[in-house]
Each structure stands twice: as C-alpha cells, then as structure tokens.
Amino acid sequence: WVVAMIFFLVLCCCWGAISLGIAVFKTTAQYVQKNMKIFLMPLIVLGLVLLWFSLWLVGVVFVWSVGEPMPREGMSFLTEMKWSDETRYIFIYFVFGLLWVNAWFVGMSQFATAASASLWYFECGSDSEGKGTMGRAMKWSFRYHIGSIAFGSFIIAVCQIIRLIFEYYRRKLGMADKGKKLVKVLLCITGYLLWMMEKCVKFMAKKAYIQVALTNKFFCRSAFNAFALILKHMHRFAIAGGIGWIFAMFGIITITGTTCFCAWLFFSNSTAIEVTSPWGPVIAIGIVTVVISHSMLSIFTFSSDAILQSFILDEELGFQGRSRPKYMESFAEKVKGKKGSCC
C-alpha cells in the first residue's frame, strides 16, 4: 500500500507530463495518417542493407581466401588459411565498413523520419497542410546533413567493432582460462558495459538526428543539445517513453496474437495444405510478425519523439504562430494560460 501510494503521488505530480505524452501520441497518429508513405522506410532500408551485405560478402570472401593454406593442428587432413597481419587488418576494415554503412542506412531513415515529423508539426496548420514533408526530408538528408549522419554512424560503428573484437578475445580467454571464475565474471561485466555503451550511443544518436533536423546544427552540437534537453525535461521524456513502450508492447502482442491465431485456424482447417502439426508454421509466422510489427511501430514511437522535441522547441520560442497540430495547439493554450496566470 505504501508503494502504491507513492506511485499514485508520483503520477499526480507528473499529470502535466502524462497529458503532454497523450497529446503527443494523438498528434503522432495524425501525422502517420497523413504520411502513410513513411511505413515504406523500413522496407527500403531492409532492401538496401541486403543489397549492401550481398556486395560486401563477395568482397570479404576474396579477403578470407588471401593467405597460405596450412594443415590444421590435430587434424592434418583439414587445411586452414594462415593470415598475415595485413590480411587481418584488411578483414577488420571490411567488417568495420559493413557496420558503418549499415548504421548510415539506419541513420538516414531516422533523420528522414525526424525531419518529416518536425516539418509536419510546424506546417500542418498552414496552407500547405504539411504535404510533401517526406520528400523534403530526404532532400535535406542527402544535400545538407549527410556528413552529420555519417559521423553519428561512425561513432556507432566504432562501438560495435570494439564489442566484436572484445567478444573475439573473450572467447579465446574463456577457452584458455576455463577454471578461473573471476576472469569470467570480469569478462561478463566488461561485455555488459560495452553493450550498454552501444545502446547509449544509439539512443543519443537518435536524439541528435532530431536536433539536427530541428536546429540545423552539426552532429556533436546537436548531441549536446539533445542531452541537455533530456536533462531539462527528464519527466516529459520519461513519461512519453513509457507511454511509447506500453503502446509498442500492446501493438506487438495484438498484431502477433491475431496473426498467429488466424494462421493456426488456417493450418488446422485447411484441406489444401496437409501439416502434421500447425504449431511449427505458427511459431515461424509469429517470429516474422514480431520483427515486422516492431520495425513498423518503431517508426511511430520515433515520430512521437520528434514531435515531442518539436513541441519543446515551440515552447521555448514562445508558441509563435498558429500552424501547429490541433492537439498541441490546445495544450499550448493551456501552457500559455498557466504562464499568464503566474505572471
């Protein structure tokens, strides 16, 4: 009861942030409804990543084959390629290139989504009604901010290559020191810290891309502004993030459950396809559905984050103009009314 009362008091203190989070998600629903093309972004990125991975795989096979064939230790009837230091460095360079370009594709899609949502926020009530924002966002990403996105992707790729190199040596140390539990504990802690570092860098990169779209600053300055903004409005970001997480989880569960139930009915009652048990295909369909629904709903949650930062920027500018979305307009009127009463 004490914990429940404390939780209730915290909710009462954060009621304004909860109302703002609800208004942001209503506005995001409006934005998505007006810009359904945005859901093509994950498919485009997936196609480009697969194409890039196919080209990369051809090159890395040639690099892998560069070396001197030698008999494997303990199994002389098998051979392995002994690499020189130059080949090893080139292979690491290839792996780093794979990670960097993948992160760049994702960063371009995230920036385009953020720029489109931000443009729509400030133009949906104007004569243009926020039309064509996705095209302008893509133009901005290639013409003005491709360097900032590449730099943010570079930092993410550096964190990922550090994790890969660490995991490689971690396996070697694990095989060499099988009896030392302290070494295993230290390696697990280090691996967890590196994983956390990568997650934090990805989190800040997404916030920085939104700030790049809003303020037209370079990546490092935008990342600092985003960090300061999160600290200043921590309760707003926490509430909006919690609402987004709940929305995404309910969406994934609902979509996956409905799809799996329909698939189970089909495989159980279909006479055209004979299966021994429907559970295998249903589980496979469920896994694919989770991946697809997560990628689609991540577009929604990321757009809501961009709209929240657009509202905070609008608030700092004094809510000038009348072209913001209707839900944010009513919320802005409440904020201005409170400020006027305080004065």
Side-chain angles (χ1 to χ4, degrees):
W1 281 104
V2 172
V3 174
M5 181 59 65
I6 294 174
F7 183 71
F8 176 75
L9 292 175
V10 170
L11 288 180
C12 292
C13 295
C14 297
W15 188 254
I18 295 174
S19 301
L20 176 60
I22 294 172
V24 165
F25 269 80
K26 287 182 178 179
T27 305
T28 307
Q30 283 185 316
Y31 163 71
V32 171
Q33 185 180 9
K34 299 292 184 181
N35 298 269
M36 295 298 291
K37 294 179 181 178
I38 197 172
F39 286 111
L40 295 176
M41 191 66 68
L43 300 177
I44 296 173
V45 173
L46 178 61
L48 292 174
V49 168
L50 291 177
L51 177 62
W52 160 243
F53 180 75
S54 301
L55 298 174
W56 176 86
L57 193 61
V58 174
V60 82
V61 166
F62 280 99
V63 175
W64 189 277
S65 63
V66 175
E68 183 178 357
M70 299 289 291
R72 184 170 298 183
E73 296 182 3
M75 292 180 288
S76 58
F77 56 90
L78 296 177
T79 60
E80 61 179 350
M81 301 301 294
K82 293 293 184 179
W83 286 353
S84 62
D85 291 337
E86 290 80 5
T87 305
R88 189 172 291 106
Y89 295 148
I90 292 174
F91 180 78
I92 295 174
Y93 171 77
F94 263 70
V95 174
F96 180 77
L98 173 67
L99 299 175
W100 189 3
V101 175
N102 285 346
W104 182 77
F105 282 136
V106 175
M108 291 290 284
S109 66
Q110 290 175 345
F111 175 83
T113 303
S116 176
S118 302
L119 282 170
W120 181 87
Y121 176 91
F122 290 102
E123 295 181 2
C124 63
S126 62
D127 295 336
S128 64
E129 298 181 352
K131 296 179 180 179
T133 56
M134 199 63 199
R136 276 184 289 163
M138 294 299 297
K139 180 181 178 181
W140 283 10
S141 61
F142 282 100
R143 185 172 180 180
Y144 301 112
H145 303 294
I146 191 171
S148 296
I149 300 170
F151 185 75
S153 305
F154 174 81
I155 297 176
I156 294 174
V158 169
C159 296
Q160 291 175 337
I161 196 69
I162 290 174
R163 282 194 64 199
L164 286 177
I165 294 174
F166 170 77
E167 290 297 331
Y168 172 76
Y169 285 104
R170 176 184 176 179
R171 289 179 177 274
K172 282 198 168 185
L173 289 174
M175 290 187 295
D177 301 321
K178 293 183 179 180
K180 296 182 179 180
K181 294 184 178 180
L182 179 61
V183 175
K184 292 183 178 180
V185 171
L186 293 176
L187 289 175
C188 289
I189 294 174
T190 307
Y192 175 75
L193 292 176
L194 290 175
W195 173 82
M196 185 182 296
M197 178 186 67
E198 181 186 348
K199 293 296 182 182
C200 291
V201 169
K202 287 183 176 180
F203 175 80
M204 287 308 305
K206 291 195 294 184
K207 307 298 182 183
Y209 292 150
I210 299 174
Q211 284 295 309
V212 170
L214 285 172
T215 62
N216 201 28
K217 303 292 184 181
F218 57 92
F219 180 83
C220 294
R221 183 65 182 177
S222 298
F224 178 79
N225 291 339
F227 181 74
L229 193 69
I230 293 172
L231 290 180
K232 185 178 180 180
H233 302 276
M234 189 180 300
H235 60 297
R236 289 179 168 179
F237 281 96
I239 294 297
I243 295 174
W245 182 84
I246 293 173
F247 173 82
M249 288 299 103
F250 271 99
I252 292 173
I253 292 172
T254 303
I255 295 171
T256 305
T258 304
T259 305
C260 290
F261 179 71
C262 294
W264 181 80
L265 289 178
F266 174 78
F267 287 114
S268 299
N269 302 316
S270 176
T271 57
I273 302 176
E274 295 183 3
V275 292
T276 306
S277 174
W279 292 111
V282 168
I283 292 174
I285 291 173
I287 294 173
V288 174
T289 306
V290 168
V291 174
I292 296 175
S293 59
H294 179 268
S295 62
M296 295 299 178
L297 290 174
S298 64
I299 294 291
F300 189 95
T301 54
F302 187 72
S303 301
S304 66
D305 197 356
I307 289 175
L308 175 60
Q309 293 197 38
S310 300
F311 172 80
I312 294 175
L313 176 62
D314 194 14
E315 183 181 32
E316 292 179 353
L317 294 176
F319 296 113
Q320 301 176 10
R322 306 282 297 185
S323 60
R324 64 188 61 85
K326 65 176 184 178
Y327 293 111
M328 308 311 295
E329 180 65 35
S330 59
F331 199 85
E333 293 295 335
K334 294 179 182 179
V335 174
K336 288 190 288 186
K338 290 181 180 180
K339 289 183 177 179
S341 61
C342 291
C343 293

